Amino acid sequence: ENLINELYPGKIIDYVKCLECHTESRRTNVILDISLCIKPFGSDKTYESVQEALDAYVQPEILDENNKYFCDKCSQRCKAHKGLKFESFPYIISLQLNRFDFDYKTMSRFKLSDLVSFEEHMNIKKYLINGDEFNGEEVNAAKTDNSYDYELFSIMIHSGSATGGHYYAYIKCFETNQW
């Protein structure tokens, strides 16, 4: 239990920012993995890469029209941004690609089998609120760029359909660097 709590937790900020007065309401949560949508709701196109899915993950939703946010400071419903910001990343990042979807016409689940590319090495500094800049905010850059370099070392794959199947894994050997 302690090993998991040392290796896997990161922190994410769930926020809503009023676009009238710029007041931000936020809540920090501890995460053990990151679930990435690979096909946006209502779209017929999937994201082509993990980086594209991460970009979408931190892209704020605009709350406007019938979906405005009630700002306590403004005492009215206002246009706002709602989204997620990474405060810290864990030593080991576990990314989950959400490959199951729902067809509202047939009222059934189905599996997305589209190709989603990923790099064997990835620098994630740009997704961190403590990077050089995040959504226009100036922040401190205490860590070096390579502090945010991650190397892919395992992949878990689902074989089957949305209604059943099996999982298997590929794991890179640290000694030989072979899969």
Side-chain angles (χ1 to χ4, degrees):
E1 188 176 322
N2 278 345
L3 187 60
I4 289 172
N5 289 328
E6 288 175 21
L7 297 177
Y8 289 94
K11 289 185 180 175
I12 196 159
I13 298 169
D14 188 349
Y15 72 94
V16 179
K17 182 176 185 177
C18 175
L19 296 179
E20 299 292 325
C21 69
H22 303 288
T23 299
E24 187 172 283
S25 170
R26 57 172 56 197
R27 181 180 69 238
T28 302
N29 296 307
V30 174
I31 57 169
L32 296 177
D33 65 353
I34 303 166
S35 294
L36 297 175
C37 173
I38 63 166
K39 182 179 174 190
F41 182 76
S43 176
D44 58 353
K45 184 178 178 285
T46 58
Y47 296 125
E48 295 180 7
S49 68
V50 167
Q51 287 80 7
E52 193 177 352
L54 274 167
D55 289 343
Y57 190 81
V58 297
Q59 182 66 37
E61 173 186 359
I62 298 172
L63 303 178
D64 61 1
E65 312 231 351
N66 293 334
N67 196 24
K68 286 184 177 178
Y69 166 72
F70 185 84
C71 176
D72 290 331
K73 186 174 181 183
C74 296
S75 297
Q76 65 180 3
R77 295 173 62 76
C78 299
K79 191 173 179 179
H81 282 166
K82 178 178 178 13
L84 301 168
K85 300 175 187 179
F86 289 102
E87 185 176 289
S88 67
F89 283 110
Y91 182 75
I92 297 175
I93 294 180
S94 179
L95 299 175
Q96 173 187 332
L97 303 183
N98 296 334
R99 289 200 167 270
F100 299 106
D101 208 346
F102 191 79
D103 185 337
Y104 289 95
K105 291 177 186 170
T106 63
M107 298 303 284
S108 61
R109 287 173 39 110
F110 65 96
K111 182 177 176 182
L112 300 168
S113 57
D114 303 67
L115 176 68
V116 178
S117 68
F118 50 88
E119 302 291 327
E120 279 201 54
H121 294 85
M122 182 170 63
N123 185 292
I124 55 164
K125 183 177 181 182
K126 75 176 191 174
Y127 301 109
L128 192 65
I129 194 169
N130 290 348
D132 292 328
E133 187 175 318
F134 183 89
N135 284 350
E137 295 179 23
E138 292 292 328
V139 289
N140 97 42
K143 290 187 174 183
T144 62
D145 280 347
N146 62 359
S147 299
Y148 303 102
D149 287 339
Y150 285 83
E151 179 180 357
L152 182 68
F153 75 91
S154 68
I155 302 170
M156 183 177 287
I157 298 174
H158 179 265
S159 175
S161 69
T163 58
H166 299 280
Y167 289 93
Y168 59 95
Y170 290 107
I171 301 171
K172 184 189 283 188
C173 176
F174 289 120
E175 293 172 0
T176 64
N177 215 26
Q178 298 294 311
W179 288 91

